[in-house]
Each structure stands twice: as structure tokens, then as C-alpha cells.
Amino acid sequence: MKRYSALNLLKGGLRGHASWSRAWRAPAPKSAYDVIIVGGGGHGLATAYYLAKAHGVGSVAVLEKGWIGGGNAGRNTTIVRSNYRLPESQRLLELSLKLWEGLSDELNYNVMFSQRGALFLGHSESDMTKLAERGDSLRCNGVDAELLTREQVGRLVPLLDLSANARFPVCGGLIQRRGGVARHDAVVWGYARAADSLGVDVIQNCEVTGLRIESGRVLGVTTTLGDIAGGRVGLCATGGSSRIAASAGLRLPIECHNLQAFVSEPVKPMIDTVIMSQSIHCYISQSDKGEIVLGGDPDLYPSYAQRGMPARIEDVAAQAIALVPALSRLRMLRAWAGTTDMSFDGSPIIGTTPVENLFLNAGWCYGGFKATPGSGWLYAHTLATGEPHPVNAPFSLDRFERGATIDEAGAGPMPQHR
């Protein structure tokens, strides 16, 4: 792999950029690997990279049913933050945020991580009390958080409706200034390129149709390109986790819901932070191309369709315009939907399963993108050693059986589902 640098870019330009090699290979699958990772999104590719880089596992395959970046990795709103409510979530997401801060240098690929801040708005005294409690919890665990007054919020985001008759009155906010956004496709491309350079086989258009199980132990996978043997298999296929796990006799505590987002036509810079709300599930940011990125609640019924209902777009647009009235002048450019694994306590599942040598990374609800580096690092440790890292140990699958749920659904305006 040729290293990207200013000098190599200059040399490439003088040669008409004809000397660049492919970002990653397109290998045919081998008959067997030490570790097979099912799912070529950000989490799967990050896991493969850290398996090779940090643990020296030399025989790793990432199997992706479509193309790299074509699944949920490319169907999100790119928000990165670690200001969660519960200590277990804070430790996991803060690890991830610290990895984000050096990720471009680590991968030799610009993931366009922009620490422009992640702001939660408070619309009532009750909201402000909850935000103050969360801020105290964050600071006690070494995570940055700053409570803002209404006037400070107004100076930070001048276009917010701060009038007395606003639909959602702004009483203040809580900001994590180290939070921000990153470029979702650059993240998966960077991890794919870096993993490939370490010998990982990134195999696209290879759908896993089932697991090969014998005597309670996984032996490999069946795919559209044939059977592949694996010493250990790591499921990392959001939207497909339940279906694949079912072939091993596992019923996961997960429902799949569509989560929509959309962007406006590009405009000059008008919002330079990520805006979220304690009471309504609308979030707003502006991309580097100038598009206003909007998202909100999922469609509250199970679906694998990767397309959402128009009513949800209308709800999000109405909330966004109520918060920032100037958005009413913009036209919507495009919309999309991803399939989220919604766990029943709002927290991910990352660890071992009852099937020997079968591991699970799923149930990330809304938090999947922001957790990409940390999830990959922790899952790689779990796959390499066979045991969870202390940070991801609380997020085991058996916590639901033990009644040790991590109720992160109370950390924000996440809808409750059954």
C-alpha cells in the first residue's frame, strides 16, 4: 500500500494520478481463516484492523454481502460524542472518542473528524435538571461536559428560536466540545484500506447465509460464494444479526427498525455545532459540503426495508424548523434510511455467545457510528482472547437473562419499545 502524503500527492499529480494502486484488494475467499467477521461496515472493518494490528492475527476475512460502505455505515448522520448517562456507556464511548481524535493519523486516511461540539438543548426546568445531572456524572468520570445558560446557547447558535413564544423554548443546554461529526464513508474506506495493508481479506458481494454448527461449536459459515471454515466467527452485521444468529439457534433480544435521515440543498455555513434536544428526538448539523443534515425518531415498527415512511420526515422537518426557523427556506435534497438493531435496554451487545467460538456485536440502536473505533478495538480483543475486555464485559448477551440490563434508553429521548 502506498502511503498517502503531500509529497506522494505531488508526485501523483505530475504523473496524471495514474500511479495510484487500488485502495484495497479484491481477493477470492480462501477455504479457511482463523477469524471470520460477518459484516463489512465500520465495526467489522475496525475489528479486522485491530485484530491484525494490535493482536497479530494474520488470517482474517471480512465478508460483506454488498459493497463496502453500502450498508448502515453509509446511512447515518455521522454524529460522534461520548456524553451518555450511564458510567458503562461513558467508558465505552469515551474510549471510542479518544480513538477518533487520532484516527486520521492512525489510518493514514482523512476521516474528516470535526470536533465542532455536540449540544443538547433543554426546553424546561426539568430538562435542565436532567442535563445538569448528566453533566455532573460525565465530569465525575473524566468526560468533558459544560452546562450553558440560555444566553450562552444563543451566542453559540444565533439562528435558534429564542423568542418567548417559541414552540420549544430554549432554557439552556449541555455541550461536549470534543464531540462533533466525521465523514462516514471515509471511515469505512480508511479502515478497509488499513486492514487490507495488514493482510486482511476484505471480500465484497459475499453474503453469509448461515452458520456451520457442530456439537455446540461454530465451524465456519455458508455464503453465496461457498462454505468457508473459521476458527472463530464474529457477527457484526447490523440489520442481519438476528437472522444469522437464528441459524445457530440463538434468539436475540433485538428488533430491527428503520431510522431515516435527510439533507437539504447546500448553503453557506449557518450551523457550526451539532444540535440535539433533551425532549424531542431531532438532531441537526451541517456537513462540510454545506448540506443541513437532519434526523429523528425511528419508524416504531419492525422492518428490514431500509426505506421509511414520509410522515417521519414531516415530523423531523417540523421540529427542525421550530428550532431553527431559517431552515424553512431550504429544499430537501435527498433522504435515506438504515436498519438499526434496537436492543431492549438501549445498549449494545458485544461479547461471547452460548455457541463456542461464536461472538456477537449488535444492538447499537442509535449509537453505532460514534462507537466505531472503540467497538472495533474491544471486539478485536474479545475475538483474539476469547474473553471480553473489562470495558465491554457489562454489555454481554446474558445480561438480559441475569436482569443486569444497562438502561441507556433513559439517557435521552430514545423511544421506548417492547
Side-chain angles (χ1 to χ4, degrees), residues 34-54:
D34 291 339
V35 179
I36 296 173
I37 298 171
V38 181
H43 289 229
L45 292 166
T47 301
Y49 170 74
Y50 293 117
L51 273 171
K53 178 71 180 294

Side-chain angles (χ1 to χ4, degrees), residues 41 66 89 117 158 179 188 192 200 207 229 234 243 245 271 290 294 304 306 348 350 358 373 378 381 390 409:
S89 302
V188 292
V200 173
E207 182 176 4
R243 176 183 58 81
I271 298 174
L294 303 170
Y304 293 96
Q306 287 191 329
I350 178 169
L358 179 65
L378 294 168
H381 176 278

